[in-house]
Amino acid sequence: MKQETPTLQQLLNSASIKRRFEELLDESAPSFISSILAIFNSNPKLRECSPNSILSAAGIAAALKLPINPSLGFAFIVPYKGQAQFQLGWKGFVQLAMRSGQYRTLNSGAVREGQIKEIDFVTGEIIRGEKISDEIVGYVAYMELINGFKKSLYMTVEELLAHAEKYSQSYAYDLRSGKKSSVWTTNFDAMAKKTVLKKLLSNFGIISIDQKSIDLATALQADQAVITNEGFRYIDNERGAEQIVPFNEVVDLPEADDVDDENNPEDKND
């Protein structure tokens, strides 16, 4: 007889999984587990996802010590084709970068027409102009390190839309169908801020061997991935559902097979 797959509620009631969250979050573990269930119960699409994928995405957020409440904008558990992805908000990138102690300033925001006069093609330096209208023409990210290194990155709205169409299957679907299922469609501002900031940090940020910098490196790689035993699996971009990017360390959360039956509630309804 085939063993029934444990529900998310049963997994979270497992002593081994509770213990792992307590190792990651100490006294904050119970409230974090409650937030997982609250998000799960409030999102019909997430209720269709694999419980293990939800648990693994939550595990990455817990390891990075980022809240998953969507209203806070730090980290998200996002459903896509029956699997839960871990996604970082732009606030999450700022939080992890600032924790490293290497950044004096880090920011991302919209640019109105006229605010950028030109960009030096040699240094990449942005030459500011005067705003001539409230129309948003692009987004900029800026970083300044404690050692004095400064860098900025600017992308036009057209470049950001092209990026979304290339890397997000859900946004490409929206364009074809006229529906609004992608975050790029429903919250372009947040995705644009995140994209320019992520590109800036990926190309010029501090990625070293100390733990706080490793947290940022992990977040950059885990963003928009389904977390598996083999690595980060990207199912909503051009890299393809079958490509898995290996990682050296992953959040060590038990799989469903590791859950003891006696730790599960008799009632298997969530």
Side-chain angles (χ1 to χ4, degrees), residues 11-154:
L11 289 172
L12 292 173
N13 282 338
S14 163
S16 58
I17 290 181
K18 284 183 178 180
R19 183 168 57 251
R20 182 56 182 154
F21 276 115
E22 288 168 358
E23 290 171 356
L24 292 168
L25 297 169
D26 298 321
E27 67 275 5
S28 300
S31 61
F32 188 87
I33 291 173
S34 294
S35 69
I36 298 173
L37 287 171
I39 293 167
F40 174 79
N41 290 323
S42 66
N43 190 329
K45 288 292 184 182
L46 201 58
R47 293 200 294 271
E48 298 173 3
C49 291
S50 154
N52 268 327
S53 69
I54 296 171
L55 193 65
S56 296
I60 288 288
L64 297 173
K65 293 180 172 53
L66 291 173
I68 53 175
N69 186 326
S71 65
L72 297 177
F74 288 95
F76 306 89
I77 299 176
V78 180
Y80 185 75
K81 292 186 176 180
Q83 298 292 317
Q85 298 174 315
F86 169 80
Q87 288 197 17
L88 208 62
W90 71 273
K91 290 181 182 179
F93 279 116
V94 171
Q95 179 71 210
L96 293 175
M98 299 307 289
R99 280 184 202 169
S100 73
Q102 300 293 329
Y103 295 81
R104 178 176 286 115
T105 305
L106 191 63
N107 191 38
S108 177
V111 176
R112 266 67 181 182
E113 184 181 14
Q115 286 185 321
I116 290 182
K117 185 177 180 181
E118 60 180 312
I119 299 175
D120 189 299
F121 71 93
V122 175
T123 65
E125 182 181 0
I126 292 175
I127 300 172
R128 298 185 191 182
E130 295 292 331
K131 186 178 77 170
I132 60 177
S133 80
D134 288 330
E135 179 187 357
I136 295 176
V137 295
Y139 284 78
V140 66
Y142 173 81
M143 58 178 262
E144 181 179 349
L145 300 180
I146 297 298
N147 64 13
F149 177 77
K150 304 175 183 178
K151 197 67 179 177
S152 57
L153 175 69
Y154 173 70

Side-chain angles (χ1 to χ4, degrees), residues 8 11 35 66 92 112 135 161 202 207-208 210-211 236 240 249 251:
L8 181 64
L11 289 172
S35 69
L66 291 173
R112 266 67 181 182
E135 179 187 357
L161 289 172
S202 297
I207 305 295
S208 62
D210 66 277
Q211 184 57 51
D236 184 27
E249 294 185 14
V251 179

Side-chain angles (χ1 to χ4, degrees), residues 221 232 246-250:
Q221 195 173 30
F232 301 115
F247 43 74
N248 295 326
E249 294 185 14
V250 339

